[in-house]
Structures are given as structure tokens and as C-alpha cells.
Amino acid sequence: MSAPPVGTWPVADAAPASLESTGYSALPVWPATRPALFGSGFGAIDQSWLLVALILIGSVLLARFVQWGSRRYLDGETAETTFGRAAFVEVHTPLAISIALLGVYLSLLVLDLLESTTLIVGGIATVLVILWARASIRIGRRWIEVLQEGQSGYEFAPMFGNLWTITVVGGAVLLLLSIWNLDLTPFLASAGILGIVIGFAAQDAIGNLIGGVALYFDNTYKVGDVIRVEDDMRGTVTDVGIRSTTVLTEDNLLVTVPNAILNSSQVVNESAPQRHMRLRVPITAAYGTDYETVEKLVLEVCEECQFVRDTPTPRVIFAEFGDSALGFELRAYINHPLVEKRALDSINRGVYDAFDEADITIPFPQRELSFLEEPSDTSHEFDERLATDEPAPDRD
């Protein structure tokens, strides 16, 4: 067998073995003929490192270019606030980081280090999953904000945001389990018992979840509505969550009410179907008062009240003949449920002043007590005796 020529490196007869599966089937595999592309020996090594340097520099430059272009687009004065723009705000940073990490992965692939750096490859995949899961959640929230800012006012937006977050987190967890090849068989074997335990421990949370879904499909209320719960609490809905609903009361207090309670209680939506609501104000006047004068004065008070709407027009109803007064009822509409008490205060003050100027008496219940007088010659006698004494004779 003749020796190889001087100045040349021996070349192996067999082709290099293909890379074994590393468990990351989603990542590309470099062809087995890679050494043939760059020669052999020291020349192949130098070309491999040159290619790695080019890949790293190119990925970094491309990532910086993406960031620069994104800033130019987002800082533009003519850019409109649309769903595409809102999504791009959250996408451009993960995209730049993904390009840089892809350059690291391709460098390891060129250097044939995938099998010895499985932890690094798994870490890169984990970072990518977390980045894009976070971006997906934030895109969903921005989409909801865009919908809420529009004139349509989609009622399903808050509930959709919560369901979207749960879906993205669940998908990310499954991807991470697939990346690290975790065996779930021991956990699935005890899933039945674990499910029963979780069911007992989280029955309140599950009840609140079901209650929230029921409230959504029943279209009971939405964010911004004024609700009254069992005549005990009244306020404005500020957030509709999966577990509970947050209500801002008239005392400027935030109250968190579980959805299960709202689903099983009587909830009055004072903002539906329209924001304005009707007031019923009882008014009394003394017998002998001209009812037309009462109606005229009350309607003039309504015209001067800033909280009373012109349409529908206020009306005064002659309600009843009371025990000591004529009973009337003012029916007027106000702009918003939360101004009800201020409207009542303004109307009552105006009616009182108007009746006082017109000399109309506002009657009130009166009671008289009388005592019967006894004759002056009436006398009372009391017999004092012991318990052992005989009974005193009867007196006529």
C-alpha cells in the first residue's frame, strides 16, 4: 500500500455518520455532506469557524435592523392605532431575540455540537416558547383594548381575554414538556385520584368559573354598567374576571364579588337597556289645594333641575286621596343611575321652595291625645292585711 502524497491529509473512505436525533425534531438538521462542502482538515475547521462568525454577525445585524425598523414604524406620526400596529408593538422584540437565538443554534449546528450541548439547545427552545407565549398574551390584551376603544363596545372582550390567557399558557406548558421529553406516565396513573382531590379543593373556584361563563352568556352586565345586588350593594362594574367581578361602589370602594354569588343572586342592571332611568318621587299637598297648580309648580322645578332629562318628558300623576293629604307622584328620567340621589335632593328642595312661595301646605300626620277627667269627690280606699288574716268583707 503506497503512502499518501506529501503535503496532503488523508481522507476517510466512509462518509461521516449522520447526526443522531437530539429530541428537537422541530429544529433543522444540517446535511451529512457538510465536510465535503468546505474541504477537510485544518481548512475545513477554519471555514467552519468563518461560517459561524458570519452567521453570528448576520443574525445580530438582522436583529438590530428589525429593532431599528420597528422603532421607525412605531414612532411614525401617520401610523394609525389599529390591531396590526398593536400586535407589532409586542412582536418586534421577540422577533429580534428569536433571530439572534437562531444564529446561536445554527452556529452549534455548523460546529457539530448539538449532541454535546442539548441543554443549550433546550434552553434556546424554552426561551423562544416563553417569549412568544408572553407576546401572544399581550397581543390579546392589546386587541381587547383596541376593541374597547372603538364605538362598537364588544361585550365579550373581558371574558375572551381571560380565556385567551388560559389557552396560551396551557399550550406553552405542553410545548415545554415536549421539548424536554418529560414522561407524564406516573402523573397520568394517579390522575383520577388527583382530579377528585382537586375537585374538592377547588370547588369554589370551579363554581366561580362556571358562574362567570353563565353570566357572560346570559348577558347580565358588562364593564361600565351600574348594578344592584340584592338591594345590599350598588356600584359600577370595573372588571369582569373568570373568578370574580369587581364593583366600584358609590362610596368609592372596590368590592370583589365572586361570580358564583352573582349567578345565584338577583342582580339588577340599572344601565340596561339604556343609561337613563326613571325616578318616582312622591309629593303630598293639603286637601283643598288646586291639583293643576301642584302639577305646574313641580314641572317648573323639573325644568330647572340639571339632572332631569327633557325627553321623555316628566309627568305628574294624581296618585291617591290619602288620609290627610292629596297624593301625587312625579315621574321623571335622569341621565345616569349614579346621579339618582343628587336628582332627588335637587327636586325635593325645589318643590319645597315652590310650595312655600305658593302657600301650599305640605301636611303631615298628627295625633291628639285626650285624658278623661274623674269627679273630685271620688275616693279610693285600700285595705292593708296580712296573708293569714281573713278576707275583708265585700264592699258595695
Side-chain angles (χ1 to χ4, degrees), residues 232-263:
D232 295 332
M233 184 189 66
R234 182 189 188 191
T236 305
V237 178
T238 59
D239 181 65
V240 180
I242 292 181
R243 188 190 66 85
S244 61
T245 298
T246 305
V247 180
L248 180 64
T249 65
E250 295 176 311
D251 297 328
N252 200 29
L253 299 176
L254 280 177
V255 180
T256 301
V257 185
N259 289 332
I261 295 178
L262 293 175
N263 192 42

mmCIF file of all heavy atoms in Angstrom, residues 232-263:
data_model
loop_
_atom_site.group_PDB
_atom_site.id
_atom_site.type_symbol
_atom_site.label_atom_id
_atom_site.label_comp_id
_atom_site.label_asym_id
_atom_site.label_seq_id
_atom_site.Cartn_x
_atom_site.Cartn_y
_atom_site.Cartn_z
ATOM 1 N N ASP A 232 -78.422 45.272 48.534
ATOM 2 C CA ASP A 232 -77.402 45.489 49.564
ATOM 3 C C ASP A 232 -76.221 46.304 49.050
ATOM 4 O O ASP A 232 -75.561 47.003 49.819
ATOM 5 C CB ASP A 232 -76.884 44.153 50.099
ATOM 6 C CG ASP A 232 -77.959 43.371 50.827
ATOM 7 O OD1 ASP A 232 -78.878 44.022 51.364
ATOM 8 O OD2 ASP A 232 -77.893 42.128 50.850
ATOM 9 N N MET A 233 -75.929 46.195 47.767
ATOM 10 C CA MET A 233 -74.762 46.863 47.214
ATOM 11 C C MET A 233 -75.105 47.406 45.836
ATOM 12 O O MET A 233 -75.809 46.764 45.061
ATOM 13 C CB MET A 233 -73.582 45.897 47.122
ATOM 14 C CG MET A 233 -72.295 46.545 46.641
ATOM 15 S SD MET A 233 -71.010 45.320 46.316
ATOM 16 C CE MET A 233 -71.721 44.457 44.931
ATOM 17 N N ARG A 234 -74.566 48.589 45.564
ATOM 18 C CA ARG A 234 -74.790 49.221 44.276
ATOM 19 C C ARG A 234 -73.498 49.868 43.825
ATOM 20 O O ARG A 234 -72.808 50.506 44.626
ATOM 21 C CB ARG A 234 -75.888 50.275 44.392
ATOM 22 C CG ARG A 234 -76.230 50.969 43.081
ATOM 23 C CD ARG A 234 -77.157 52.122 43.350
ATOM 24 N NE ARG A 234 -77.676 52.726 42.147
ATOM 25 C CZ ARG A 234 -78.328 53.870 42.103
ATOM 26 N NH1 ARG A 234 -78.546 54.531 43.235
ATOM 27 N NH2 ARG A 234 -78.768 54.360 40.966
ATOM 28 N N GLY A 235 -73.140 49.691 42.555
ATOM 29 C CA GLY A 235 -71.902 50.279 42.061
ATOM 30 C C GLY A 235 -71.714 50.020 40.581
ATOM 31 O O GLY A 235 -72.579 49.434 39.903
ATOM 32 N N THR A 236 -70.570 50.453 40.087
ATOM 33 C CA THR A 236 -70.224 50.338 38.672
ATOM 34 C C THR A 236 -69.262 49.184 38.471
ATOM 35 O O THR A 236 -68.274 49.048 39.189
ATOM 36 C CB THR A 236 -69.576 51.640 38.173
ATOM 37 O OG1 THR A 236 -70.439 52.738 38.451
ATOM 38 C CG2 THR A 236 -69.305 51.578 36.681
ATOM 39 N N VAL A 237 -69.530 48.351 37.487
ATOM 40 C CA VAL A 237 -68.666 47.211 37.171
ATOM 41 C C VAL A 237 -67.386 47.728 36.521
ATOM 42 O O VAL A 237 -67.435 48.402 35.485
ATOM 43 C CB VAL A 237 -69.387 46.217 36.243
ATOM 44 C CG1 VAL A 237 -68.467 45.059 35.887
ATOM 45 C CG2 VAL A 237 -70.657 45.704 36.899
ATOM 46 N N THR A 238 -66.246 47.417 37.129
ATOM 47 C CA THR A 238 -64.953 47.858 36.589
ATOM 48 C C THR A 238 -64.167 46.728 35.942
ATOM 49 O O THR A 238 -63.298 46.986 35.114
ATOM 50 C CB THR A 238 -64.098 48.488 37.703
ATOM 51 O OG1 THR A 238 -63.882 47.523 38.744
ATOM 52 C CG2 THR A 238 -64.799 49.712 38.295
ATOM 53 N N ASP A 239 -64.450 45.481 36.311
ATOM 54 C CA ASP A 239 -63.708 44.357 35.723
ATOM 55 C C ASP A 239 -64.553 43.094 35.849
ATOM 56 O O ASP A 239 -65.153 42.841 36.901
ATOM 57 C CB ASP A 239 -62.359 44.152 36.411
ATOM 58 C CG ASP A 239 -61.561 43.010 35.791
ATOM 59 O OD1 ASP A 239 -61.172 43.127 34.623
ATOM 60 O OD2 ASP A 239 -61.347 41.993 36.478
ATOM 61 N N VAL A 240 -64.598 42.327 34.764
ATOM 62 C CA VAL A 240 -65.308 41.052 34.752
ATOM 63 C C VAL A 240 -64.264 39.958 34.555
ATOM 64 O O VAL A 240 -63.713 39.816 33.463
ATOM 65 C CB VAL A 240 -66.375 41.005 33.635
ATOM 66 C CG1 VAL A 240 -67.097 39.662 33.657
ATOM 67 C CG2 VAL A 240 -67.360 42.140 33.797
ATOM 68 N N GLY A 241 -63.948 39.236 35.621
ATOM 69 C CA GLY A 241 -62.937 38.198 35.562
ATOM 70 C C GLY A 241 -63.550 36.813 35.513
ATOM 71 O O GLY A 241 -64.773 36.635 35.582
ATOM 72 N N ILE A 242 -62.690 35.815 35.396
ATOM 73 C CA ILE A 242 -63.160 34.430 35.380
ATOM 74 C C ILE A 242 -63.670 34.027 36.757
ATOM 75 O O ILE A 242 -64.684 33.340 36.886
ATOM 76 C CB ILE A 242 -62.027 33.498 34.926
ATOM 77 C CG1 ILE A 242 -61.700 33.758 33.465
ATOM 78 C CG2 ILE A 242 -62.425 32.035 35.105
ATOM 79 C CD1 ILE A 242 -60.612 32.881 32.933
ATOM 80 N N ARG A 243 -63.002 34.468 37.811
ATOM 81 C CA ARG A 243 -63.372 34.054 39.164
ATOM 82 C C ARG A 243 -64.330 35.027 39.825
ATOM 83 O O ARG A 243 -65.219 34.615 40.577
ATOM 84 C CB ARG A 243 -62.106 33.923 40.021
ATOM 85 C CG ARG A 243 -62.357 33.321 41.397
ATOM 86 C CD ARG A 243 -61.127 33.435 42.269
ATOM 87 N NE ARG A 243 -60.811 34.825 42.567
ATOM 88 C CZ ARG A 243 -61.365 35.497 43.562
ATOM 89 N NH1 ARG A 243 -62.267 34.927 44.334
ATOM 90 N NH2 ARG A 243 -61.042 36.761 43.784
ATOM 91 N N SER A 244 -64.179 36.310 39.593
ATOM 92 C CA SER A 244 -64.968 37.293 40.319
ATOM 93 C C SER A 244 -65.197 38.524 39.452
ATOM 94 O O SER A 244 -64.599 38.685 38.386
ATOM 95 C CB SER A 244 -64.273 37.694 41.624
ATOM 96 O OG SER A 244 -63.004 38.278 41.340
ATOM 97 N N THR A 245 -66.058 39.393 39.960
ATOM 98 C CA THR A 245 -66.382 40.672 39.314
ATOM 99 C C THR A 245 -66.067 41.796 40.295
ATOM 100 O O THR A 245 -66.435 41.713 41.472
ATOM 101 C CB THR A 245 -67.857 40.724 38.911
ATOM 102 O OG1 THR A 245 -68.117 39.698 37.952
ATOM 103 C CG2 THR A 245 -68.207 42.072 38.306
ATOM 104 N N THR A 246 -65.392 42.822 39.822
ATOM 105 C CA THR A 246 -65.020 43.958 40.664
ATOM 106 C C THR A 246 -66.004 45.098 40.442
ATOM 107 O O THR A 246 -66.274 45.477 39.301
ATOM 108 C CB THR A 246 -63.592 44.430 40.347
ATOM 109 O OG1 THR A 246 -62.687 43.324 40.483
ATOM 110 C CG2 THR A 246 -63.163 45.532 41.296
ATOM 111 N N VAL A 247 -66.530 45.636 41.560
ATOM 112 C CA VAL A 247 -67.548 46.678 41.518
ATOM 113 C C VAL A 247 -67.053 47.871 42.318
ATOM 114 O O VAL A 247 -66.570 47.718 43.450
ATOM 115 C CB VAL A 247 -68.889 46.177 42.089
ATOM 116 C CG1 VAL A 247 -69.939 47.278 42.049
ATOM 117 C CG2 VAL A 247 -69.379 44.957 41.322
ATOM 118 N N LEU A 248 -67.149 49.061 41.734
ATOM 119 C CA LEU A 248 -66.815 50.306 42.415
ATOM 120 C C LEU A 248 -68.097 50.899 42.980
ATOM 121 O O LEU A 248 -68.989 51.311 42.232
ATOM 122 C CB LEU A 248 -66.149 51.285 41.452
ATOM 123 C CG LEU A 248 -65.737 52.651 42.037
ATOM 124 C CD1 LEU A 248 -64.671 52.472 43.102
ATOM 125 C CD2 LEU A 248 -65.236 53.571 40.935
ATOM 126 N N THR A 249 -68.222 50.936 44.310
ATOM 127 C CA THR A 249 -69.454 51.389 44.943
ATOM 128 C C THR A 249 -69.555 52.910 44.935
ATOM 129 O O THR A 249 -68.611 53.621 44.560
ATOM 130 C CB THR A 249 -69.519 50.872 46.386
ATOM 131 O OG1 THR A 249 -68.456 51.469 47.151
ATOM 132 C CG2 THR A 249 -69.369 49.359 46.422
ATOM 133 N N GLU A 250 -70.702 53.411 45.398
ATOM 134 C CA GLU A 250 -70.920 54.858 45.462
ATOM 135 C C GLU A 250 -70.049 55.518 46.519
ATOM 136 O O GLU A 250 -69.848 56.730 46.482
ATOM 137 C CB GLU A 250 -72.392 55.133 45.761
ATOM 138 C CG GLU A 250 -73.324 54.688 44.647
ATOM 139 C CD GLU A 250 -74.784 54.872 45.006
ATOM 140 O OE1 GLU A 250 -75.179 54.451 46.110
ATOM 141 O OE2 GLU A 250 -75.520 55.444 44.188
ATOM 142 N N ASP A 251 -69.520 54.730 47.455
ATOM 143 C CA ASP A 251 -68.598 55.256 48.465
ATOM 144 C C ASP A 251 -67.148 55.211 48.010
ATOM 145 O O ASP A 251 -66.232 55.353 48.824
ATOM 146 C CB ASP A 251 -68.744 54.462 49.769
ATOM 147 C CG ASP A 251 -70.131 54.596 50.363
ATOM 148 O OD1 ASP A 251 -70.724 55.669 50.185
ATOM 149 O OD2 ASP A 251 -70.615 53.642 50.987
ATOM 150 N N ASN A 252 -66.930 54.965 46.701
ATOM 151 C CA ASN A 252 -65.591 54.894 46.107
ATOM 152 C C ASN A 252 -64.772 53.761 46.712
ATOM 153 O O ASN A 252 -63.583 53.899 46.995
ATOM 154 C CB ASN A 252 -64.850 56.225 46.267
ATOM 155 C CG ASN A 252 -63.703 56.373 45.279
ATOM 156 O OD1 ASN A 252 -63.750 55.815 44.185
ATOM 157 N ND2 ASN A 252 -62.677 57.112 45.656
ATOM 158 N N LEU A 253 -65.416 52.609 46.894
ATOM 159 C CA LEU A 253 -64.763 51.421 47.411
ATOM 160 C C LEU A 253 -64.849 50.313 46.364
ATOM 161 O O LEU A 253 -65.902 50.113 45.739
ATOM 162 C CB LEU A 253 -65.422 50.946 48.717
ATOM 163 C CG LEU A 253 -65.397 51.930 49.894
ATOM 164 C CD1 LEU A 253 -66.179 51.351 51.057
ATOM 165 C CD2 LEU A 253 -63.964 52.227 50.320
ATOM 166 N N LEU A 254 -63.730 49.588 46.181
ATOM 167 C CA LEU A 254 -63.711 48.465 45.254
ATOM 168 C C LEU A 254 -64.113 47.198 45.998
ATOM 169 O O LEU A 254 -63.483 46.825 46.990
ATOM 170 C CB LEU A 254 -62.329 48.298 44.636
ATOM 171 C CG LEU A 254 -61.952 49.226 43.481
ATOM 172 C CD1 LEU A 254 -60.526 48.970 43.031
ATOM 173 C CD2 LEU A 254 -62.908 49.047 42.308
ATOM 174 N N VAL A 255 -65.140 46.544 45.508
ATOM 175 C CA VAL A 255 -65.652 45.323 46.122
ATOM 176 C C VAL A 255 -65.530 44.201 45.105
ATOM 177 O O VAL A 255 -65.979 44.332 43.960
ATOM 178 C CB VAL A 255 -67.119 45.490 46.560
ATOM 179 C CG1 VAL A 255 -67.633 44.202 47.190
ATOM 180 C CG2 VAL A 255 -67.257 46.647 47.544
ATOM 181 N N THR A 256 -64.907 43.102 45.519
ATOM 182 C CA THR A 256 -64.755 41.928 44.666
ATOM 183 C C THR A 256 -65.831 40.916 45.038
ATOM 184 O O THR A 256 -65.855 40.414 46.163
ATOM 185 C CB THR A 256 -63.361 41.311 44.818
ATOM 186 O OG1 THR A 256 -62.377 42.297 44.478
ATOM 187 C CG2 THR A 256 -63.204 40.114 43.906
ATOM 188 N N VAL A 257 -66.709 40.616 44.105
ATOM 189 C CA VAL A 257 -67.832 39.718 44.341
ATOM 190 C C VAL A 257 -67.606 38.436 43.546
ATOM 191 O O VAL A 257 -67.425 38.500 42.323
ATOM 192 C CB VAL A 257 -69.164 40.365 43.926
ATOM 193 C CG1 VAL A 257 -70.331 39.467 44.294
ATOM 194 C CG2 VAL A 257 -69.315 41.741 44.563
ATOM 195 N N PRO A 258 -67.581 37.267 44.179
ATOM 196 C CA PRO A 258 -67.425 36.008 43.429
ATOM 197 C C PRO A 258 -68.562 35.827 42.424
ATOM 198 O O PRO A 258 -69.719 36.155 42.704
ATOM 199 C CB PRO A 258 -67.449 34.938 44.526
ATOM 200 C CG PRO A 258 -67.041 35.654 45.776
ATOM 201 C CD PRO A 258 -67.584 37.042 45.636
ATOM 202 N N ASN A 259 -68.229 35.281 41.269
ATOM 203 C CA ASN A 259 -69.239 35.098 40.224
ATOM 204 C C ASN A 259 -70.313 34.115 40.634
ATOM 205 O O ASN A 259 -71.457 34.202 40.165
ATOM 206 C CB ASN A 259 -68.572 34.636 38.928
ATOM 207 C CG ASN A 259 -67.760 35.734 38.274
ATOM 208 O OD1 ASN A 259 -68.058 36.912 38.431
ATOM 209 N ND2 ASN A 259 -66.728 35.359 37.553
ATOM 210 N N ALA A 260 -69.972 33.145 41.494
ATOM 211 C CA ALA A 260 -70.981 32.186 41.941
ATOM 212 C C ALA A 260 -72.085 32.885 42.721
ATOM 213 O O ALA A 260 -73.265 32.528 42.602
ATOM 214 C CB ALA A 260 -70.319 31.100 42.793
ATOM 215 N N ILE A 261 -71.725 33.885 43.527
ATOM 216 C CA ILE A 261 -72.739 34.637 44.286
ATOM 217 C C ILE A 261 -73.603 35.465 43.346
ATOM 218 O O ILE A 261 -74.831 35.521 43.480
ATOM 219 C CB ILE A 261 -72.048 35.532 45.330
ATOM 220 C CG1 ILE A 261 -71.323 34.658 46.375
ATOM 221 C CG2 ILE A 261 -73.050 36.451 46.000
ATOM 222 C CD1 ILE A 261 -70.581 35.459 47.420
ATOM 223 N N LEU A 262 -72.981 36.111 42.372
ATOM 224 C CA LEU A 262 -73.752 36.905 41.414
ATOM 225 C C LEU A 262 -74.668 36.029 40.575
ATOM 226 O O LEU A 262 -75.771 36.453 40.198
ATOM 227 C CB LEU A 262 -72.800 37.690 40.507
ATOM 228 C CG LEU A 262 -71.979 38.790 41.181
ATOM 229 C CD1 LEU A 262 -70.996 39.386 40.192
ATOM 230 C CD2 LEU A 262 -72.877 39.881 41.735
ATOM 231 N N ASN A 263 -74.225 34.811 40.285
ATOM 232 C CA ASN A 263 -75.031 33.922 39.459
ATOM 233 C C ASN A 263 -76.248 33.401 40.208
ATOM 234 O O ASN A 263 -77.267 33.062 39.590
ATOM 235 C CB ASN A 263 -74.173 32.753 38.969
ATOM 236 C CG ASN A 263 -74.856 31.948 37.892
ATOM 237 O OD1 ASN A 263 -75.481 32.495 36.989
ATOM 238 N ND2 ASN A 263 -74.750 30.630 37.975
#
